[in-house]
Amino acid sequence: MSTIKANTLLHSDGSTTNPPAIPALDKRMATAWANFDGTTGIVVRNSFNVSSITDQAVGKYTVNFNTALPNVNYVVSMSSEDGGGFNDPRVCNRDSSQARTTSAFGIYHWHLGSSALDDATHVNLIVFAS
Amino acid sequence: MKIIYQTTDGIAVITPAPNCSLTDAQTAAKDVPTGSAYKIVEDSYVPSDRTFRNAWTIEASELTDGVGD
């Protein structure tokens, strides 16, 4: 048993944007993630391995991966924010009307109070794949 | 920058992720469905009022910037 102590771990090319491969740990790391605003057009606040977000309609979006995933058996976890109180909740679900592929998946944002699709101010999503 | 294409239900509007390494043209070719014609527009081209979002339309003759791969 040995311990490696280092302050910085870089790809062999020296790049700070090209991550080094750690095969045994890759499946424990997020393959993609994003935080976006789905109102008044889309604003992608921050993301990783997401090339774009498609606004399909009110409360319906498509997340497009920059680098395709190895298969469609990936895990998606999502959340959104309430409308300003405990009595105004919203939920994000994966949209089964949009095919789950290695390059994209669909989501919808539902306002429980009005039982209708609703544009989301905050959608947070994270994807794991191996 | 936005990328617009027609769907069976209306129109879809793609927003490229700001920290994505792809150009807008590369994103359009990759993320627009295969065979769908698209147009690359400034953000201001897309209405900010979403009251009638699901009724938005565009003339097919305007989708002249390429076709999804």
Side-chain angles (χ1 to χ4, degrees):
Chain A
M1 180 74 72
S2 60
T3 301
I4 297 174
K5 294 182 178 180
N7 293 327
T8 305
L9 184 63
L10 294 178
H11 190 276
S12 59
D13 66 7
S15 164
T16 56
T17 55
N18 192 13
I22 311 175
L25 297 181
D26 278 355
K27 64 180 64 175
R28 303 184 195 181
M29 299 176 184
T31 312
W33 54 263
N35 172 343
F36 71 88
D37 179 351
T39 64
T40 318
I42 303 291
V43 176
V44 184
R45 296 186 179 92
N46 208 346
S47 64
F48 170 72
N49 196 26
V50 170
S51 59
S52 68
I53 304 291
T54 306
D55 165 24
Q56 298 284 359
V58 171
K60 288 188 69 173
Y61 313 101
T62 305
V63 178
N64 302 294
F65 299 122
N66 189 358
T67 300
L69 305 191
N71 56 63
V72 298
N73 299 320
Y74 48 86
V75 172
V76 179
S77 181
M78 292 171 286
S79 68
S80 66
E81 292 195 6
D82 61 57
F86 295 137
N87 62 347
D88 196 16
R90 272 91 165 155
V91 296
C92 275
N93 277 356
R94 216 202 64 72
D95 180 6
S96 61
S97 73
Q98 300 184 62
R100 172 198 287 248
T101 71
T102 58
S103 57
F105 68 95
I107 65 178
Y108 68 86
H109 183 249
W110 189 257
H111 182 210
L112 295 174
S114 61
S115 295
L117 290 168
D118 180 55
D119 287 332
T121 56
H122 280 79
V123 173
N124 310 293
L125 63 96
I126 187 168
V127 177
F128 288 89
S130 67
Chain B
M1 198 67 71
K2 306 287 187 187
I3 303 156
I4 297 173
Y5 64 92
Q6 187 86 45
T7 70
T8 54
D9 298 325
I11 70 169
V13 182
I14 293 176
T15 300
N19 58 0
C20 176
S21 59
L22 302 178
T23 65
D24 291 332
Q26 289 172 324
T27 299
K30 184 179 79 65
D31 293 345
V32 171
T34 302
S36 293
Y38 63 81
K39 182 179 183 64
I40 298 175
V41 300
E42 296 294 332
D43 288 3
S44 58
Y45 184 91
V46 179
S48 58
D49 183 349
R50 292 175 64 83
T51 305
F52 299 104
R53 166 64 182 87
N54 293 352
W56 290 355
T57 60
I58 190 169
E59 293 294 330
S61 59
E62 291 191 53
L63 304 173
T64 56
D65 288 338
V67 175
D69 290 343

